[in-house]
Amino acid sequence: RSSTASAEDAIGVLDQTYRSFEHTTGSILRLQGASEAADADFHELTESFLSSAALVQSSALDWKCQVVDAADIVAPHQPAASCYISQLKISSKALGKFLGRATSVGDSLNACLAVLLARRSESP
């Protein structure tokens, strides 16, 4: 087996990206809703992060569809595991760039979540 990632690997990463963002944004929204003392600047920043997260989730779904469609064209009636990203008519460089952006947005969301959790633990 080649060391190149399979389409199935890519689909798994994209699914996990989507689910992670869904979980983190849900936590942020619950904490933000429970926080009465959120300052306007932090609220605005949080909204910006949540908007970026929604775009990442949308892009993750688009990428997943592209990978699934491309794998079906390369190997119809075969599982996605039988195809490698290098065989598909998609840009692995562009997919990598997207995953890098997703990581950056995810890091920002995690920082935002950490601040909200710290504020919750400090409140009486």
Side-chain angles (χ1 to χ4, degrees), residues 1-14 63-64 67-68 70-71 79-88 90 92 95 99:
R1 191 169 149 124
S2 169
S3 64
T4 304
S6 71
E8 183 179 52
D9 295 335
I11 291 167
V13 167
L14 292 164
W63 273 108
K64 180 180 175 183
V67 171
V68 169
S82 66
C83 296
Y84 294 101
I85 293 295
S86 60
Q87 294 174 290
L88 306 180
I90 62 170
S92 58
L95 177 57
L99 291 172

Side-chain angles (χ1 to χ4, degrees), residues 82-113:
S82 66
C83 296
Y84 294 101
I85 293 295
S86 60
Q87 294 174 290
L88 306 180
K89 300 252 188 233
I90 62 170
S91 169
S92 58
K93 184 177 179 180
L95 177 57
K97 191 173 182 177
F98 161 71
L99 291 172
R101 280 192 310 257
T103 300
S104 177
V105 172
D107 290 346
S108 297
L109 284 175
N110 286 331
C112 179
L113 182 57

Side-chain angles (χ1 to χ4, degrees), residues 14-38:
L14 292 164
D15 280 342
Q16 184 59 41
T17 299
Y18 185 91
R19 283 192 299 271
S20 294
F21 274 73
E22 186 173 52
H23 174 74
T24 305
T25 57
S27 296
I28 288 171
L29 288 169
R30 279 189 301 281
L31 288 168
Q32 190 178 32
S35 174
E36 298 171 9

